[in-house]
Amino acid sequence: MEIIYQPIGIIHTPFAVRKGTPIQPAAAAGAVGHIEIAECYRAGLKDLDGFSHLILLYHFHLSSGYEMEVTPFLDTQPRGLFSTRAPKRPNAIGLSVVRLTAIHDGILEVADVDMLDGTPLLDIKPYVPQLNPAEVERIGWFSGAVTDLQGRTADERFR
Ligand SMILES: C[S@@+](CC[C@H](N)C(=O)[O-])C[C@H]1O[C@@H](n2cnc3c(N)ncnc32)[C@H](O)[C@@H]1O
């Protein structure tokens, strides 16, 4: 089966290259960007201004190829790809929860961005914690690795 998506918009961020780009929104406080939504989808932005946070699904457009084991940014040993958030994946889909600060003229002003400039946006969903009330019991190898995330940025390992 082949699945073909068209972007609904383009994400603009201050980050032109991987090195120095935050590794997650939790590491990206203060990093602002904006998303230009394609004209034909702008009517779908109605009511979105009632949400403080959005789930963005996007294409890692500068990634190619993948390996089944990778050494993640937050670890020093190889982990199974699907236990990581690495940007090189069979389907190069990224997911970030960002803060929505304004909407105007088909543009979403957002903060806490961890994508490269020019990233194609596939979808937007409102972030509603009550819809995913998971009581998390374990976080695998991330345990002990997710303290002090602020300011953690990428290197070139996923070129
Ligand atoms: C570890 S991934 C996490 C992305 C997302 N929060 C997730 O969990 O799916 C973030 C890194 O992916 C890389 N990246 C971001 N946007 C990209 C793009 N459009 N193409 C290729 N790599 C990208 C940057 O190095 C960035 O620091």
Side-chain angles (χ1 to χ4, degrees):
M1 182 193 292
E2 188 180 48
I3 302 168
I4 298 175
Y5 290 124
Q6 302 294 333
I8 62 164
I10 300 295
I11 307 172
H12 294 285
T13 74
F15 309 114
V17 295
R18 292 171 181 82
K19 190 164 190 257
T21 300
I23 60 170
Q24 285 292 340
V32 297
H34 68 274
I35 306 171
E36 200 170 344
I37 302 297
E39 190 85 39
C40 57
Y41 300 118
R42 290 183 182 179
L45 299 178
K46 182 171 172 285
D47 300 319
L48 201 61
D49 59 357
F51 297 88
S52 66
H53 289 78
L54 305 177
I55 299 167
L56 302 182
L57 295 162
Y58 52 89
H59 178 55
F60 289 117
H61 70 307
L62 296 180
S63 285
S64 62
Y66 57 86
E67 290 170 6
M68 286 294 102
E69 286 195 25
V70 297
T71 302
F73 292 125
L74 292 172
D75 205 355
T76 53
Q77 55 176 300
R79 301 289 181 180
L81 174 65
F82 299 120
S83 79
T84 77
R85 306 289 285 262
K88 293 179 75 161
R89 325 182 67 84
N91 294 313
I93 294 172
L95 180 158
S96 298
V97 175
V98 300
R99 195 154 45 89
L100 175 67
T101 56
I103 304 181
H104 58 86
D105 308 314
I107 307 278
L108 307 182
E109 304 283 353
V110 291
D112 307 342
V113 292
D114 65 338
M115 327 79 191
L116 294 173
D117 188 39
T119 295
L121 180 67
L122 300 177
D123 201 4
I124 304 169
K125 295 172 195 281
Y127 180 69
V128 180
Q130 290 85 346
L131 298 183
N132 299 99
E135 288 192 16
V136 176
E137 288 156 13
R138 53 187 189 279
I139 56 170
W141 65 264
F142 280 93
S143 193
V146 284
T147 53
D148 205 18
L149 279 180
Q150 202 46 248
R152 293 291 298 268
T153 58
D155 52 31
E156 299 282 4
R157 76 184 70 184
F158 295 116
R159 236 186 348 238

